[in-house]
Amino acid sequence: MKKRILTIFLLLALVLTALPVHAQAAVRTVPIYIGNSVVDYLAEELLKEIPTAGKSPTDQILAVYDWIIANCSRYDWDGVIHFDEARAAADSSAFAQSLDRKLENGQILLRRALKAESGCLQTETDYLDFDSSQYIASYAYEMMRTRTGNCAHFASLLTVLLGHLGFDCRVFHGEFINMDGTSVEHTWNYILVDGRYLWADIRIDHAVGGHDYFLKADTDAWAEEHTWDHAYSDWLAGQASILQDSLDEAARNAVGPWDQCSDWARDYMQRAGEAGLIPGILDDQDLTREISRAEFAAVAVRLYEALKHQEVPLYAGANPFSDTADPDVLRAYSLGVVNGMGDGTFAPDSNLTREQAVTMLGRVYELSRFSAVMGGETLPQGGEPFLDDSAIFDYARNYVYFFTGQSIVDGMGDGTFAPKSSMTREQALKIAVETADRLG
């Protein structure tokens, strides 16, 4: 018997040690914002394009590193601006309104405050301080806008994006020593990873290809090709474990943006958040409460963007509704996902009904799949008619039987669908993320 138990333990140990690093559970972190609402908003949007969820810290950094290398260039800007500046200004304004609450709840840290608390603020108001938030925000914005820049642009964008993933990333400026012994002015990064700072030179890796300058620990070897004032880096290296403990403590004490939900919903909310389906208006809200029509319109827009991998532009036409000018409601209207109440109103604050929810989702799915809203006529129907089938509005019936047939939405367990009943925020987000996962 003892021999059998020992064999089982040995087999289990072999299985566990064979698991790849990326199979580890993701460590909860607190995002470090640069403190510029437009840049921080754009960083969140860019990170939606980069698969980092569930990865180890090193693999998360590598994913961002490789994305920048693949999508940014050093010379010859092609004249393309890579985001809608009007929309960014409007969305970042709404984004900024939630920052005070997030700071109060410990959900984010500001880079400047983190540096001040750690005792290395230096000259944060001086634009020529290469590690200042002002300098980094300026260069990162230019890189986000044009995807073209020099070493400072590369290093600044990496700093902002890694900050949003919870990594303390510093910018160093000095010179790079070429093979012929000449040197050029240059900028690179020093990144806190699992309690120690590691060097990274994304611009050189971008130039030569590969990862020869990615997360290097040997400062003496680094100094063979880089020159800089070592006082700052030496201080950081000495404080690395203390700074890491501070970040870990902040993460443990933070109130998660979607923590106010039922136990059954936590995994769904995490998945919905990682997929970008939860709009900012639902951050820090009680997700067990009923969802409004305006809130779900915002979810529907983000579901469409996730399925189509493209942004929905701001609506530029005349407002069809007399009771709301909500940008997401108008964007949903421009897609054909919502039509209003038929009397020139939208009733944005009214509770969303179950049939309205599946109708919005069905229209989003049709648009993503067929580029047209077709009333669910071509969607497969499933299941026996509900006992309250006659209570379902005609516009919703095909969508009801499509989503129940796909087991994305359930009936009430007594043979009815209850089309006029309301949905909670967590219920609505669950069916949105299930739609994205199963039908995307």
Side-chain angles (χ1 to χ4, degrees), residues 190 195-197 230-243:
Y190 204 29
R196 64 175 180 166
Y197 280 95
H230 286 232
Y232 186 27
S233 57
D234 289 347
W235 185 88
L236 285 171
Q239 297 293 315
S241 61
I242 297 173
L243 294 173

Side-chain angles (χ1 to χ4, degrees), residues 41 45 48-49 82-91 276-277 296-317 326-338 360 363-365 367-368:
Y41 165 76
E45 294 299 299
K48 293 176 184 178
E49 302 179 27
H82 288 266
F83 57 85
D84 185 323
E85 293 183 282
R87 175 182 171 183
D91 287 354
L277 300 181
F296 196 68
V299 174
V301 169
R302 281 150 186 78
L303 175 61
Y304 176 85
E305 292 178 330
L307 294 176
K308 290 288 286 184
H309 304 290
Q310 66 183 46
E311 292 185 352
V312 180
L314 290 172
Y315 178 66
D326 185 296
D328 281 319
V329 170
L330 295 177
R331 290 163 69 200
Y333 172 79
S334 71
L335 289 172
V337 172
V338 301
M360 287 191 199
R363 289 170 177 169
V364 166
Y365 174 67
L367 285 167
S368 68

Side-chain angles (χ1 to χ4, degrees), residues 27-32 105-109 114 117 166 192 240-256:
V27 177
R28 183 170 181 176
T29 61
V30 175
I32 304 168
N105 290 337
Q107 293 168 340
I108 61 171
L109 299 171
L114 177 66
E117 185 176 343
L192 183 60
S241 61
I242 297 173
L243 294 173
Q244 186 68 65
D245 288 344
S246 296
L247 291 175
D248 293 343
E249 181 67 18
R252 286 191 292 270
N253 293 333
V255 177

Side-chain angles (χ1 to χ4, degrees), residues 212-375:
D212 292 341
Y213 297 87
F214 177 70
L215 297 188
K216 300 300 181 181
D218 191 337
T219 294
D220 290 337
W222 194 260
E224 293 176 4
E225 294 181 290
H226 300 78
T227 62
W228 72 98
D229 181 352
H230 286 232
Y232 186 27
S233 57
D234 289 347
W235 185 88
L236 285 171
Q239 297 293 315
S241 61
I242 297 173
L243 294 173
Q244 186 68 65
D245 288 344
S246 296
L247 291 175
D248 293 343
E249 181 67 18
R252 286 191 292 270
N253 293 333
V255 177
W258 314 303
D259 277 355
Q260 298 184 65
C261 65
S262 304
D263 288 342
W264 66 263
R266 294 193 184 282
D267 179 62
Y268 292 111
M269 298 307 100
Q270 181 68 24
R271 287 163 52 195
E274 291 174 354
L277 300 181
I278 304 181
I281 55 174
L282 291 183
D283 281 0
D284 314 316
Q285 299 298 310
D286 183 353
L287 300 183
T288 66
R289 300 282 299 273
E290 287 80 6
I291 192 167
S292 72
R293 286 168 48 81
E295 290 169 347
F296 196 68
V299 174
V301 169
R302 281 150 186 78
L303 175 61
Y304 176 85
E305 292 178 330
L307 294 176
K308 290 288 286 184
H309 304 290
Q310 66 183 46
E311 292 185 352
V312 180
L314 290 172
Y315 178 66
N319 188 346
F321 306 120
S322 61
D323 57 349
T324 184
D326 185 296
D328 281 319
V329 170
L330 295 177
R331 290 163 69 200
Y333 172 79
S334 71
L335 289 172
V337 172
V338 301
N339 297 315
M341 306 304 291
D343 60 356
T345 66
F346 181 74
D349 298 324
S350 295
N351 290 341
L352 181 81
T353 67
R354 286 165 53 81
E355 64 184 356
Q356 290 170 351
V358 295
T359 298
M360 287 191 199
L361 291 181
R363 289 170 177 169
V364 166
Y365 174 67
E366 287 177 324
L367 285 167
S368 68
R369 184 75 181 274
F370 310 114
S371 298
V373 173
M374 297 179 287

Side-chain angles (χ1 to χ4, degrees), residues 45 83 93 95 111 141 154 167 171 173 177 189 194 223 239 246 263 277 293 297 299 309 344 361 393-394 396 402 426:
E45 294 299 299
F83 57 85
S93 178
F95 179 82
R111 189 173 190 274
Y141 179 81
F154 277 86
F167 296 100
V171 173
H173 186 76
I177 304 171
N189 297 99
D194 292 332
Q239 297 293 315
S246 296
D263 288 342
L277 300 181
R293 286 168 48 81
V299 174
H309 304 290
L361 291 181
F393 280 136
D394 289 341
F402 170 65
E426 60 190 8

Side-chain angles (χ1 to χ4, degrees), residues 38-233:
V38 175
V39 173
D40 285 320
Y41 165 76
L42 291 172
E44 289 297 305
E45 294 299 299
L46 278 183
L47 285 170
K48 293 176 184 178
E49 302 179 27
I50 307 174
T52 60
K55 293 185 175 182
S56 69
T58 298
D59 285 344
Q60 287 185 344
I61 297 170
L62 181 60
V64 174
Y65 199 83
D66 284 346
W67 185 94
I68 294 174
I69 288 174
N71 290 276
C72 298
S73 62
R74 173 65 178 87
Y75 300 109
D76 301 326
W77 178 42
D78 57 10
V80 175
I81 297 175
H82 288 266
F83 57 85
D84 185 323
E85 293 183 282
R87 175 182 171 183
D91 287 354
S92 65
S93 178
F95 179 82
Q97 294 177 13
S98 66
L99 295 187
D100 287 342
R101 184 176 66 251
K102 290 181 177 181
L103 280 169
E104 183 179 347
N105 290 337
Q107 293 168 340
I108 61 171
L109 299 171
L110 288 183
R111 189 173 190 274
R112 185 180 188 280
L114 177 66
K115 290 179 68 180
E117 185 176 343
S118 65
C120 56
L121 183 59
Q122 297 190 38
T123 55
E124 188 71 11
T125 58
D126 183 358
Y127 180 78
L128 295 178
D129 175 6
F130 293 90
D131 196 39
S132 75
S133 297
Q134 180 182 357
Y135 180 94
I136 292 167
S138 175
Y139 274 73
Y141 179 81
E142 291 179 10
M143 193 61 137
M144 292 170 170
R145 186 174 183 272
T146 66
R147 304 280 173 91
T148 306
N150 59 29
C151 55
H153 292 92
F154 277 86
S156 295
L157 181 57
L158 183 65
T159 296
V160 171
L161 294 181
L162 292 186
H164 276 243
L165 294 178
F167 296 100
D168 180 22
C169 183
R170 308 294 174 118
V171 173
F172 273 76
H173 186 76
E175 293 185 340
F176 182 80
I177 304 171
N178 296 312
M179 294 182 65
D180 62 3
T182 61
S183 60
V184 293
E185 194 174 1
H186 191 54
T187 305
W188 60 92
N189 297 99
Y190 204 29
I191 309 166
L192 183 60
V193 187
D194 292 332
R196 64 175 180 166
Y197 280 95
L198 303 174
W199 298 105
D201 195 329
I202 188 171
R203 171 66 193 111
I204 300 298
D205 271 336
H206 173 269
V208 302
H211 301 100
D212 292 341
Y213 297 87
F214 177 70
L215 297 188
K216 300 300 181 181
D218 191 337
T219 294
D220 290 337
W222 194 260
E224 293 176 4
E225 294 181 290
H226 300 78
T227 62
W228 72 98
D229 181 352
H230 286 232
Y232 186 27
S233 57

